[in-house]
Amino acid sequence: MSRRLRVVQWTTGKTGSAAVRGMVDHPVIDLVGCFAYSPDKVGRDIGELCGIDPVGIAATDDVEALLALEPDCVVYTAYRPNFDHLERILESGSNVVSTLYMLSGDGYGDEPTQRIREAALRGGTSLYTSGIYPGHAPMVALAASAMCRRIERISVLESLDIQEYANEQMFRAQGFDREADDPEVPKVVEASCGSFKNQVRVMARALGLRIDGVEFRAEVATADHDTDFGFMTLDKGRVAGIQGVVAGVAGGRSIVECRFVWKLGEDMTPNWPVTNGYVIEIEGDPGVRCKLEPMGEHFAGATTTAMPVVNAIPSVCAAPAGIVNQMELPFVRGAHQVR
Ligand SMILES: NC(=O)c1ccc[n+]([C@@H]2O[C@H](COP(=O)([O-])OP(=O)(O)OC[C@H]3O[C@@H](n4cnc5c(N)ncnc54)[C@H](OP(=O)(O)O)[C@@H]3O)[C@@H](O)[C@H]2O)c1
């Protein structure tokens, strides 16, 4: 059995709540504190905030009080990064695992990336990012690639009706409910896919492939009528679905692809079919096709997003200092979860 690890949760939104549910009663993790971004969450029991029984720990917005708990690791699942907080956490001696996949690439620019790296080196700590997609689903594709003696194209597709995730802030940031002919839509959609550009580069490096560039294509579907989803409304004619691909290109060929089909409901034109899961396809010798199909509540409950980082905590705490990517850790698996 590994040594027990002290962990602080950073925010209790969709993914943070799933991480807390995955850490309470965990065989090697002791949840010792929690940061609240929302003022109305400060002082409240984090079990209550995450939809489970009270755990006897109150959320706080006092960063130094949390670091005084001497956590081995912070699970950082805020909606947007606060680089002052990240720098302080890493230099204080706590590792960070996060579902903000762009944090481990260059998506936020050189300056913040350099700040994080230097803070980690000062603190002797590591930052690791994952999630389900980007994150674990592409790792499964890479694991499948070990069966091939020639690979012409490797692709991962996320294909979901996303309405149960009920995250208005995120969906609007992706371009949903915009006028379909708004010239900003392609830019907004591409900006929201920045993490997939990092993912394509990680996959290409893992395959020993030098890519010439990363290309992006997307198209939208429009709502057939006005719909009230409860958490947001969507007007007829506005963006109700987005599908596209982020592709690593070499020699004029699209070789490493992160694809997506995201739909808010079914009433849209065109109405692309969804497979409700992750489809991995490798064209080559042999070709490979597999589907990751989490059963029961997964996407809405964010379990499959949170657990690839929670399950990585012991390896991240043991990793060399700096920003570690998915190829630099032992294969993350559900260790200690057989119960
Ligand atoms: N790789 C993947 O598979 C994957 C999948 C889904 C999401 N993600 C990423 O994971 C992160 C968390 O996603 P989520 O759906 O859990 O997010 P969320 O529920 O919308 O937000 C998480 C928390 O962030 C805090 N917050 C809200 N607005 C904020 C803002 N403007 N700036 C900073 N913090 C803010 C809130 O903290 P309080 O709890 O204190 O209110 C909120 O509960 C996002 O960056 C998302 O893109 C990754």
Side-chain angles (χ1 to χ4, degrees), residues 156-211:
V156 187
L157 163 72
E158 179 178 64
S159 175
L160 299 169
D161 179 345
I162 58 175
Q163 65 177 296
E164 286 182 15
Y165 199 69
N167 192 329
E168 179 174 11
Q169 182 173 220
M170 181 181 289
F171 296 166
R172 290 194 183 282
Q174 288 172 311
F176 284 95
D177 198 34
R178 287 200 174 227
E179 296 286 357
D181 57 2
D182 179 344
E184 288 298 305
V185 165
K187 294 181 214 159
V188 167
V189 175
E190 182 165 1
S192 80
C193 288
S195 57
F196 292 107
K197 294 183 178 177
N198 292 146
Q199 178 70 84
V200 162
R201 290 196 180 95
V202 167
M203 290 179 75
R205 270 203 304 279
L207 293 167
L209 170 70
R210 184 187 291 268
I211 51 175

Side-chain angles (χ1 to χ4, degrees), residues 11-15 36-38 41 77-80 99-100 130-134 165 167 169-170 305:
T11 72
T12 51
K14 296 264 175 203
T15 310
Y37 167 88
S38 301
K41 291 188 178 179
T77 56
Y79 179 71
R80 287 210 178 96
T99 52
L100 281 77
S130 186
I132 179 65
Y133 190 64
Y165 199 69
N167 192 329
Q169 182 173 220
M170 181 181 289
T305 299

Side-chain angles (χ1 to χ4, degrees), residues 75-150:
V75 179
Y76 193 92
T77 56
Y79 179 71
R80 287 210 178 96
N82 177 320
F83 289 100
D84 292 337
H85 287 174
L86 283 163
E87 183 174 29
R88 188 67 202 103
I89 296 165
L90 288 163
E91 73 180 5
S92 78
S94 173
N95 300 284
V96 173
V97 295
S98 179
T99 52
L100 281 77
Y101 194 82
M102 269 196 334
L103 279 177
S104 59
D106 53 7
Y108 292 109
D110 291 342
E111 196 261 318
T113 307
Q114 194 58 19
R115 269 178 79 187
I116 293 175
R117 185 173 289 114
E118 285 171 6
L121 294 176
R122 277 198 303 282
T125 54
S126 320
L127 169 96
Y128 172 78
T129 64
S130 186
I132 179 65
Y133 190 64
H136 195 64
M139 289 304 101
V140 176
L142 288 174
S145 74
M147 295 188 285
C148 303
R149 66 173 181 165
R150 181 170 49 81

